[in-house]
Amino acid sequence: MLPEGVLINGLTGEVSPGTGKYTKRLSELREIFQDQTELDRLVEVEGDPVVYEVIEYRKEGSDLFFGTTTMEPGKVSGEFFMTRGHFHQRRDMGEVYYTQSGHGVLLLESRKGETKVVRMDPGVCAFIPPDWAHRSINVGSEKLVFVWVCNVDAGHDYGDILKHGMRKIVVDRDGKDTIMNNPHYSL
Ligand code: 6PG
Ligand code: NI
């Protein structure tokens, strides 16, 4: 395996060369938002907007890989566009998120139920400890682009968050992003 430099555009999230990508649209994220009736309406009226795109760069044989997540600005009834949120399958593997552009909130939750928030502003490099669930939320009016670096074996465990939700939600209250208790949270 040889060393290599990969170009990342911090404004668009483009990775050159990338080795894989996927896009998540609003209709695919129905369960994670509070107001699903409004979500259905937005899907209908706005033609199922893209919420985020993930582009990765993998190198065969490496223990690490990296990529970008590019999140569009938007809200569903005041609740900002967000990622699904997950624990890693491997409980001993954390991650790093380095914000390139835009403004977001990284919402973290430990297995024990502690909540932490790290603001995602350009230049902030967030440390995600092993076994903390993480969800990113675009609270700005432009794209939120961040670079992540992770172990290839980390994997994703979406089940818990999908089933119970996270304990906190991030909503627009009078033009300010505000962290609130999730009224739909269930254990
Ligand atoms: C990972 C990273 C990151 C994340 C995306 C989308 O573990 O691979 O945390 O790439 O997957 O930002 O978020 P969701 O996977 O929660 O939809
Ligand atoms: Ni992750």
Side-chain angles (χ1 to χ4, degrees):
M1 197 189 323
L2 292 172
E4 191 183 347
V6 170
L7 190 63
I8 291 180
N9 185 320
L11 290 174
T12 64
E14 196 185 336
V15 179
S16 317
T19 57
K21 68 156 92 174
Y22 69 84
T23 298
K24 283 283 161 207
R25 290 181 180 271
L26 197 53
S27 64
E28 301 171 86
L29 301 167
R30 197 169 185 277
E31 292 76 16
I32 67 174
F33 285 93
Q34 302 284 315
D35 187 347
Q36 293 168 1
T37 311
E38 172 62 5
L39 184 144
D40 292 341
R41 196 192 66 82
L42 286 172
V43 168
E44 190 75 20
V45 175
E46 295 186 11
D48 204 4
V50 169
V51 178
Y52 58 97
E53 181 181 57
V54 178
I55 307 180
E56 62 170 45
Y57 181 72
R58 275 178 200 264
K59 211 166 165 71
E60 214 189 309
S62 174
D63 57 338
L64 295 174
F65 75 134
F66 59 81
T68 58
T69 299
T70 302
M71 303 190 66
E72 298 300 324
K75 285 175 256 184
V76 180
S77 285
E79 192 178 19
F80 292 102
F81 276 11
M82 60 182 140
T83 57
R84 288 167 287 182
H86 59 271
F87 284 97
H88 291 154
Q89 260 162 358
R90 285 281 303 258
R91 295 184 173 209
D92 58 339
M93 289 180 177
E95 193 166 3
V96 167
Y97 277 14
Y98 183 33
T99 303
Q100 302 292 292
S101 57
H103 299 280
V105 165
L106 176 58
L107 184 61
L108 300 127
E109 205 175 288
S110 72
R111 252 341 137 171
K112 286 189 279 179
E114 305 149 275
T115 292
K116 289 277 177 215
V117 162
V118 176
R119 303 294 306 194
M120 301 175 81
D121 297 312
V124 174
C125 192
F127 173 65
I128 300 170
D131 220 19
W132 280 71
H134 41 289
R135 161 178 284 163
S136 23
I137 300 149
N138 186 352
V139 300
S141 51
E142 37 186 304
K143 283 182 198 285
L144 171 67
V145 182
F146 61 92
V147 173
W148 46 265
V149 184
C150 196
N151 190 293
V152 288
D153 293 328
H156 300 98
D157 173 3
Y158 291 106
D160 285 352
I161 302 297
L162 206 55
K163 191 159 162 219
H164 306 292
M166 290 184 80
R167 286 170 169 81
K168 303 285 177 188
I169 57 171
V170 184
V171 296
D172 184 338
R173 280 281 175 280
D174 305 320
K176 204 177 146 14
D177 53 90
T178 309
I179 320 252
M180 295 181 55
N181 288 329
N182 178 359
H184 289 138
Y185 181 77
S186 65
L187 256 187

